Amino acid sequence: MSPPAKSGIKVVIVGAGFGGLTAAIECHRQGHDVEIYENFPELKTLGDIISFGANAGRIYARWSDGAIARRLRALSIDLTHYGFRIHKFDTGEVVYHQPTPEQDPQAPVFNGHRGELHEVVFNYARDELGIPIHLGQRVEEYFEDEQQAGIVLKSGERVVADVVIGADGVRSKARELVLGYVDKPKSSGYAVWRAWFPNTDMLADPRTRQFCENGDTFNGWIGPDVHFLFSTIKNGADCCWVLTHRDEHDIDESWSFPGKLEDVFKVLEGWDPMCRAIVEKTPAKDLVDWKLVYRDPLPTWVSRHARILLLGDAAHPFLPTSAQGATQAMEDGVTIAVCLKRAGKANVPAAVRVHQEIRYDRVRAVQKTGETTRDRWHKTDWEKVAQDPKSIAFPREDWIHHHDAEKHAEDMFDETFKRVTRPDLFQDVKLLPVGPIGPVPVAV
C-alpha cells in the first residue's frame, strides 16, 4: 500500500495499551505524525483473557491486509463447534447452549490471552509501521494552550504536539487537567477472582479432562449474585476462569491483589462439584483478586482548549461483563484519527470536540450493558429461564457488534463539525450534559 498523504498534524499518545496502540496505528494510517510514551520499561505478556467483539475485529481486519487478524486468530479461542454452555449453579444442568455466531472474516471475534494479543499489536505498530514507542517514560504533567499541547516527562523533558491523547488509564494525570478536579474511585460492591494456567492437572483428572482433550471450550455457571466462567484455549492447552461475586471492600487506588483459593471455595459451597474440581487445578500463585470499583461518568473527555483528549479507560472504564472495554477504546482510536484528518491541522480543537460528540452517547450506552448483563446473571429468574432459555444467554447485540467506527466517523463528521464550530457552543466545556443514561458502574 502507498503511504498515506501527510496531514502535518503531530499527535502524542500517552499509554501503549490497546487503545493507545490503536490510536497510533490509525493516526499513522490517516497520515498524522504520531509517537507513544509509555511508563512501563519493557513489554511483558501479562494478564489473562480479553475479548474483542466483531466491531474490534473489523478494525483489526483492515491492518496489513488482514495479516494482523490472522495472527490474532492463531492465538484465540475457537468455539466454532462448542459454543457457550450455561449451567445452573447447583445442579450443573446446562440450561442453555448458546451457539457461536458464524465468523465474518471482515469482522472476526477474538478471545485470548491479553498479553499475547497485545504483543502482536505492539510489534505491528513499532516494528512494521515504525511508530516510535518510548518505553520507561513516566509522564508527570500535561499542559496546553490555544496553539499546542504537551507533556512533561519525569526527566524534565517537554514534548510538544498539536494534540495529546491520554490513553494511560483511570490514573491518567490528564483526567485532572480535563476535569479540573480529582475524581476518586468508589466500591462497586463486586470483585472478581481470575486465573490462567496450563492444562496439565486438568488432563490428569477424569472429571475435568473433557474440557481439554477435545479442543477449546467455554462454560458458565450462574448463581445467586455470583457467576463463574471457565474457558480452555489453544486447542485445550491453556485454562482460564473468572468468578464475579459480592465484595464490600472499600479500596483507594490499588485494586489487584493475590487471591486465596480457600476464599473461592467458600463462595462455591453448594455449587456443582465440577466448579470446585476446576478451581482445585489452579496454582495458588496464579490467582488474582481484582476489586471492581467504579467512577462517575465524566461530563467531558476534552480539555478546555481541546488540545488534550482522554481515550479508552482514561475516559470511560467498563465493567468486564460488557466484554467491550478494549473494543470501545479501539473505536476511540479510529474515530479521533478520522476526525483529525477531516478537520485538518488548522482545526485540531474542532476535531477533538467532534470526536467526543460522535462517541459520547454510544460509549455510555455500551457501558450500560456491563451492568445489565451482570444483573441478568446475578438476579436470574429461573422460572423465566425454564420458559425461555435464551433469556439467560450472553447478549450479542447487533447495534454494538455491527458498528463500523471508521465509516461512522466519516459519515458523521461534516454535520458534527458544523455543529461544534458554532461560536456559542463550547464557551465552557465543563457544562456539557452527562447524558440520558445516568451513572453507570465501571471497573478500573
Side-chain angles (χ1 to χ4, degrees), residues 5 8 21 29 57 69 71 73 75 111 133 146 150 178 202 214 234 238 287 294 332-333 379 384 413 420 427 437:
L21 288 171
R29 287 183 69 224
R71 293 174 203 170
R73 167 55 46 216
L75 296 169
N111 295 272
I133 302 179
E146 292 183 356
V178 167
M202 294 284 293
N214 297 307
K234 297 181 187 173
D238 285 356
L287 181 62
Y294 74 91
D332 284 352
K379 301 173 183 177
K384 180 180 178 181
F413 181 83
V420 304
Q427 291 178 358
I437 299 174

Side-chain angles (χ1 to χ4, degrees), residues 14 41 48 57 79 101 120 161 178 253 362 396:
V14 181
D48 46 59
L79 296 174
V120 170
V178 167
E253 282 290 355
R362 172 172 169 79
R396 295 188 179 105

Side-chain angles (χ1 to χ4, degrees), residues 87 195 197 201-202 205 207-211 217 219 221 228-232 239-242 261 264-265 268 272-283:
H87 306 250
F197 53 96
D201 291 340
M202 294 284 293
D205 187 335
R207 297 173 298 171
T208 56
R209 185 182 302 143
Q210 58 179 303
F211 298 113
T217 62
N219 289 268
W221 285 259
F228 177 66
L229 303 177
F230 172 67
S231 305
T232 53
C239 305
C240 172
W241 62 262
V242 296
L261 288 170
V264 181
F265 293 139
L268 292 177
D272 177 7
M274 185 62 74
C275 297
R276 183 182 177 102
I278 291 167
V279 172
E280 284 174 347
K281 311 301 184 297
T282 307

Side-chain angles (χ1 to χ4, degrees), residues 341-408:
K341 178 198 70 172
R342 293 289 299 274
K345 186 176 175 69
N347 295 300
V348 167
V352 172
R353 289 169 174 150
V354 169
H355 164 89
Q356 175 170 266
E357 286 287 297
I358 290 174
R359 292 289 298 147
Y360 196 89
D361 285 345
R362 172 172 169 79
V363 169
R364 291 291 306 285
V366 179
Q367 275 182 311
K368 187 68 175 175
T369 66
E371 185 180 359
T372 55
T373 299
R374 183 193 64 196
D375 289 348
R376 171 183 294 200
W377 287 346
H378 285 229
K379 301 173 183 177
T380 304
D381 181 342
W382 290 106
E383 291 185 5
K384 180 180 178 181
V385 171
Q387 297 294 321
D388 179 17
K390 283 188 178 181
S391 66
I392 204 171
F394 184 84
R396 295 188 179 105
E397 299 177 78
D398 288 351
W399 68 271
I400 296 177
H401 291 273
H402 289 182
H403 187 75
D404 185 332
E406 183 173 354
K407 182 179 185 300
H408 184 67

Side-chain angles (χ1 to χ4, degrees), residues 187-210:
S187 172
S188 69
Y190 288 88
V192 172
W193 285 300
R194 54 197 313 156
W196 184 290
F197 53 96
N199 69 3
T200 309
D201 291 340
M202 294 284 293
L203 286 171
D205 187 335
R207 297 173 298 171
T208 56
R209 185 182 302 143
Q210 58 179 303

